[in-house]
Amino acid sequence: MDFSLFYFADGSVGETGGGRYDLLLEGAKYADTHGFSAVWTPERHFHPFGGLYPNPSVTGAAVAAVTSRVGIRAGSVVAPLHHPLRIAEEWSVVDNLSGGRAGISLASGWNAVDFALRPEGYAGRKTAVIEAVEQIRALWRGEPLQVTDGAGKPAEVRVYPPPVQSELPVWVTSAGGPETFRAAGAAGAGVLTHLLGQSLDELAEKIALYREALAGRPGHDGRPGHVALMLHTYLGEDPAQVKETVREPFTAYLKSSFGLIARSAGSILAGFDPDKLRESDIDFLVRRSFDTYYSTSGLFGTVDQASMVVEKARAAGVDELACLIDFGVGDKEVLAGLDHLNTLRAASEPAPSASYGTPA
């Protein structure tokens, strides 16, 4: 099992000014010197939940400047919000700054307000992701793209600077839809997913669909692909103390995300209006969510407790645990907890033959 660090902070809490990114940079330095595989940062817009990260290529460039070996990945680029040329350009810069350590996961996007940046991208966002995989790969290899310039004339453009890596490692982000897993496999990409709304048993079934689609890809070289699973993470020595340490900040984190996720659900669930919920109802739902999530969907507790989660994830077909560490616990405590996470990582190291280059 590979281990990486994942960031998705609530932008309304924590340090002010320049201190807001201290945990990102210090955590990245730790990951770089302790054998972690990558550091992931997301793309989020117009909301405190995840709001520290409006552009993962910018945070990726910052991580590149303070590290020398760890992978630098977007988790995720919302593909329908951007022209593929722009994605390829920005990440080629990150690849150059990092000496060839860039990788990206592409997502369709789920919050309609994000598409204020590009409203025309919302309707076709699901199919746009797989199209972007192929377009960005071609641009990364130096192939030209036919475009129309500002004068309305046809033009042919390439990406500069040329990247360091000959092929860009690409994942597709899935909230759990089986078709997305199949599409990622057919595209020869990896998968980045989470346990919000799916169990490990259900995930195992979808990973099987992914590997089947990957194996059926024309010209497939036999490699099994790569599935990264994001898990909220905090480890310590005393399980009771760990739970109390994370209870308040993680409950607040869940509450911060509640309105955003509930409004997204309300767009597809007839009659559901999250604005009509009372504050006490929301608090009750969030408290229940904490207990459920803590017990079944995160990497919490001691190293011994977490090792059982690792084995269950391994049995489900997961290749990498992307450990989300910035959900509100204090920076000092989070960084101290990385020693326990590193102990877990070292005990779960993959064999050399299982190392990851590109998903397929």
Side-chain angles (χ1 to χ4, degrees):
M1 185 69 69
D2 288 327
F3 284 74
S4 57
L5 298 186
F6 200 102
Y7 291 82
F8 210 105
D10 183 339
S12 65
V13 300
E15 299 294 333
T16 59
R20 284 199 173 104
Y21 296 94
D22 287 353
L23 181 57
L24 169 65
L25 298 178
E26 292 305 313
K29 293 174 186 176
Y30 187 98
D32 193 58
T33 57
H34 287 80
F36 287 75
S37 60
V39 173
W40 303 79
T41 55
E43 177 180 353
R44 285 289 304 120
H45 299 286
F46 317 132
H47 195 277
F49 184 63
L52 283 181
Y53 302 103
N55 188 334
S57 67
V58 175
T59 47
V63 170
V66 297
T67 59
S68 61
R69 59 153 301 276
V70 73
I72 300 170
R73 301 179 189 160
S76 311
V77 173
V78 183
L81 293 182
H82 310 282
H83 197 289
L85 279 166
R86 192 63 171 157
I87 298 172
E89 278 186 336
E90 290 185 352
W91 282 92
S92 182
V93 172
V94 176
D95 204 48
N96 276 271
L97 288 171
S98 65
R101 294 183 280 136
I104 61 173
S105 190
L106 297 173
S108 62
W110 52 279
N111 185 32
V113 177
D114 290 359
F115 284 80
L117 293 172
R118 192 169 178 261
E120 66 274 17
Y122 187 71
R125 64 192 184 280
K126 296 294 186 181
T127 58
V129 174
I130 301 302
E131 293 173 3
V133 169
E134 300 304 330
Q135 290 172 320
I136 294 167
R137 279 174 167 164
L139 289 164
W140 196 268
R141 291 192 293 264
E143 297 175 18
L145 182 67
Q146 301 296 323
V147 298
T148 301
D149 68 16
K153 297 180 180 180
E156 186 177 270
V157 296
R158 288 180 170 84
V159 165
Y160 295 96
V164 174
Q165 297 177 96
S166 59
E167 293 287 340
L168 174 67
V170 178
W171 291 256
V172 173
T173 302
S174 174
E179 289 308 315
T180 306
F181 278 76
R182 287 194 186 95
V191 174
L192 172 64
T193 191
H194 52 68
L195 292 182
L196 181 64
Q198 61 180 343
S199 67
L200 274 171
D201 288 341
E202 292 168 333
L203 177 58
E205 296 174 0
K206 296 164 191 176
I207 292 174
L209 296 176
Y210 163 70
R211 307 238 192 252
E212 181 181 2
L214 180 63
R217 175 178 166 82
H220 179 52
D221 61 7
R223 286 186 289 172
H226 190 268
V227 177
L229 175 64
M230 186 278 289
L231 293 175
H232 293 84
T233 300
Y234 181 73
L235 301 180
E237 295 181 358
D238 183 335
Q241 185 177 24
V242 168
K243 191 168 187 177
E244 287 312 302
T245 297
V246 304
R247 182 184 296 278
E248 183 177 345
F250 193 51
T251 299
Y253 184 81
L254 290 172
K255 189 172 183 178
S256 174
S257 69
F258 178 85
L260 191 66
I261 295 172
R263 285 177 179 81
S264 178
S267 68
I268 57 175
L269 297 176
F272 177 73
D273 185 356
D275 291 326
K276 293 183 178 179
L277 290 174
R278 295 174 299 180
E279 191 74 14
S280 59
D281 294 330
I282 295 173
D283 288 339
F284 172 77
L285 291 171
V286 168
R287 286 196 301 271
R288 290 291 299 270
S289 296
F290 170 81
D291 290 332
T292 300
Y293 208 100
Y294 186 92
S295 301
T296 65
S297 303
L299 201 62
F300 296 119
T302 65
V303 171
D304 286 343
Q305 288 174 319
S307 65
M308 293 186 286
V309 178
V310 173
E311 291 311 310
K312 289 178 181 178
R314 194 197 308 274
V318 172
D319 302 292
E320 175 182 326
L321 295 182
C323 301
L324 195 159
I325 61 172
D326 64 335
F327 53 84
V329 176
D331 289 5
K332 182 178 179 181
E333 290 84 357
V334 171
L335 292 171
L338 291 181
D339 285 335
H340 299 289
L341 182 59
N342 187 50
T343 298
L344 179 67
R345 181 207 60 77
S348 310
E349 275 191 336
S353 61
S355 62
Y356 173 67
T358 55

